[in-house]
Amino acid sequence: MYSEQKYDSTLKFWMENDYFDELSRRELAEITDLKELEDRFYTTLEFGTGGIRGVLGAGTNRLNRYVIRKVTQGLADTILEHGPEACQRGVVIAYDSRYFSEDFALEAALVLAVNQIKVYLFEGLRPTPELSFAVRYLQTIAGVNITASHNPKEYNGYKVYWEDGGQLPPAPAKQIITKMAEREDWRIVPADRIKALEEGMVQMVGDQVDAAYQAEILHSLLNTELTQTYGTKLNIVCTPLHGTGGIPVQSILNKMGFTAFRMVAEQEQPDPEFPTVKSPNPEDPESFELALTLAKKTQADLVLATDPDADRLGAYALDRNGQYCRFTGNQIGVILAYYILDQRRRNHRLPDNGVIVKTIASTDLAEAVAADFGVKTVNVLVGFKYIGEKIKEMDVQGWGTFLFGFEESHGYLAGTYARDKDAVQASALLAEAALYYKQIENKTLPDILAELFARYGTFLDEQVAFALSGKEGRERIAAVMDRLRMAKPLSVAGLSVRFIDDYQQNVRWDALENKTEETNLPRENALRFSFEGGGYVMARPSGTEPKIRFYFCIKGSTRAEADATLARVKAEVFTLINDLMV
């Protein structure tokens, strides 16, 4: 029977203790599926690459106010160990448009306040990149954002940032995890809201931070005179997908001189239900359905979509044949990298020690572009926090000038005012680039991508994700990674494998010279098989979702050749593991 299960005592505690609210207890009492109860209590949500993210609901393996309190107490205990000055510097907290985001933000604020840690709480919805900026601007010891980024409506999350504005580095992350594990008692009582506000332990912030954040974005642009003069000539359609991006993107585009833009009315207002899309993810072409309908009616040059916390940007652009071309995250990153480097060189602002930073799951085309400008490319693990860490390393150690960072999952940052990806800034930069190429060179953004392919090779990039939920799913994902490690292929679909990088073992094997060396990256459960001449296949379990992702980067002399090769590579890889995925 169920009572014999090891998670029974925790469930019983949640069901019977008055600390947990009646709605939570009732929710658990109504569950009759024993597997569902096991999944809710067999583990506790853990930190991944972006903090904690999970399905909303009662239980230790769900996101709710009690998990928020426990995680925040772990953060508070960590800050307390840094001394009185850290407590006085405090924590800034933001939140997005999801269910319970505002409630969770307040819970976190009041737990910190009861620990005598100063809190700056945003008065309304704000984008993730503004939270990253606010940590630096307010000089806090940490920041918290309540968001699940682009995940479905059933999810929410808790992202922690450290004093440089980057996502939580390993040392304090381990401290928080340790503190959470040490505290067995879930009964954490937050401060009284009115008292915390009256005593100044919780201070509301908003307009001043907004103005400073937008000023930094405007300062990062490259052709402000052009946009002020000709901004009316670029027709733009924008959608925030019911999230936080609507107001800041509109504000920036207006200040730049782009007045010929329209918001998708059905998706303009924040809504946790995300009623017009299956998933509020600008990586998904289906999320652009309403935006493209409006774009076709208005003959828009550029279509922009930001995810709910406005850190990811997706885009379409009109080509010469009157068709809308979808850009992958890699393609947007390469176009922005090329535009930034080219404009800097034209304006004699390209430093000799310039650096772009990208993840190991991002396209090899970017490295070819950067090399052509004499700019170094640094590769980091998947997760924008590693790009933020590299920016900090350059600043502290005094090497390199950071110019641009991106990841294939539609995340971009130019400059160091923040340490996380910024879809508000990326929207501004891509609109500026589209206007420049239209007004000065009589080209579309698809024209520019075609030119880059012609110059450096046609690179096709694709990601395939498999959702394998629950305990069984986690075991199957582990089995897939084990099989790929054992296979160690010397070729895939006729492409010779030059390097095999096993980031969990911190080992790179050179197949041509039959020698190994360290990857010089932190350990992570990921495998990358790099092909001779460019391109790769990579497998990596997600750190925040019950998924395993496969990344493909294929180089060809033509689009047709690259398409055919990509199809063969995918077929061979998935045949190897097919029995574990069904």
Side-chain angles (χ1 to χ4, degrees), residues 109 118 124 156 219 229 234 251 255 324 350 388 390 405 407 415 421 443 519:
K118 173 80 175 182
N156 211 329
H219 181 69
T229 304
L234 192 76
S251 178
K255 289 175 180 176
Y324 283 95
L350 186 63
K390 194 59 65 173
E407 59 184 0
K421 49 189 177 284
K443 296 174 182 175
T519 64

Side-chain angles (χ1 to χ4, degrees), residues 316-345:
Y316 280 72
L318 194 66
D319 67 15
R320 289 190 175 275
N321 299 318
Q323 302 298 312
Y324 283 95
C325 172
R326 174 182 174 265
F327 297 117
T328 66
N330 278 308
Q331 290 168 350
I332 295 172
V334 168
I335 289 171
L336 287 176
Y338 175 76
Y339 174 70
I340 290 167
L341 299 181
D342 185 53
Q343 292 303 304
R344 280 181 166 273
R345 185 163 68 182

